[in-house]
Amino acid sequence: MSSLSFDEQIRRHIKSQTMRNSEQDVDWAERLKWWVDRVNELLSSMEQWLAPLIADGTIRVSHDRMQINEDMLGHYELPVLNLNFGESFLCIKPVGSVIIGAFGRIDVEGPTGRAMLILTTDEEADTPSIKREEAR
């Protein structure tokens, strides 16, 4: 039996968990690849959803590329989807992956303002993994 009191054992346990959590290292290369894949999937899906309107000329599509710079991911490039219909337009452009409380943000901008699409997930398996050092 341990000579530490219950309170001391709890405090020691919390401290060791905190230390382990602070040692976690995100695999930023994997996170970037994962984010780029999600952006490409979304923009491709949007074009598929709009395919009949694109095919008959109701919506005109163009693509651009934009440079993004994030502290943890560095410089990288992502696609931008531009949709023109009548006298209106929508621009769907990624903002970044390293944001508080989510895994990414994409803005949808049009003549009347901007909407933000926030990437979240409930599935741990769907998110980028975290590298962990094994206890020695």
Side-chain angles (χ1 to χ4, degrees):
M1 181 151 221
S2 174
S3 62
L4 296 175
S5 72
F6 179 76
D7 294 354
E8 290 170 322
Q9 288 179 19
I10 295 296
R11 285 187 186 91
R12 181 178 280 185
H13 176 74
I14 291 170
K15 184 177 180 182
S16 86
Q17 278 186 322
T18 303
M19 288 174 65
R20 273 196 308 267
N21 290 341
S22 68
E23 292 172 359
Q24 290 179 355
D25 231 358
V26 174
D27 183 340
W28 293 109
E30 182 181 344
R31 169 78 179 254
L32 177 58
K33 180 185 179 323
W34 182 86
W35 167 237
V36 169
D37 289 347
R38 298 298 78 73
V39 170
N40 286 325
E41 287 172 9
L42 176 65
L43 298 183
S44 176
S45 292
M46 288 179 161
E47 285 192 67
Q48 288 174 5
W49 299 330
L50 299 169
L53 296 170
I54 294 168
D56 73 10
T58 302
I59 295 177
R60 294 174 317 283
V61 175
S62 64
H63 301 91
D64 289 318
R65 307 276 308 164
M66 69 179 295
Q67 295 290 320
I68 296 176
N69 181 27
E70 296 189 77
D71 289 339
M72 304 312 282
L73 299 178
H75 292 312
Y76 61 97
E77 191 175 87
L78 282 175
V80 174
L81 179 62
N82 299 300
L83 305 172
N84 294 285
F85 44 98
E87 298 295 316
S88 295
F89 69 93
L90 287 177
C91 178
I92 296 100
K93 62 181 186 178
V95 173
S97 175
V98 184
I99 64 172
I100 296 172
F103 289 99
R105 181 178 132 202
I106 296 176
D107 284 356
V108 179
E109 298 177 353
T112 59
R114 176 182 66 190
M116 293 182 276
L117 305 177
I118 304 297
L119 175 60
T120 61
T121 181
D122 291 333
E123 300 295 325
E124 217 174 286
D126 288 345
T127 59
S129 67
I130 295 174
K131 287 193 229 175
R132 298 175 193 256
E133 289 186 25
E134 295 296 320
R136 299 180 212 273

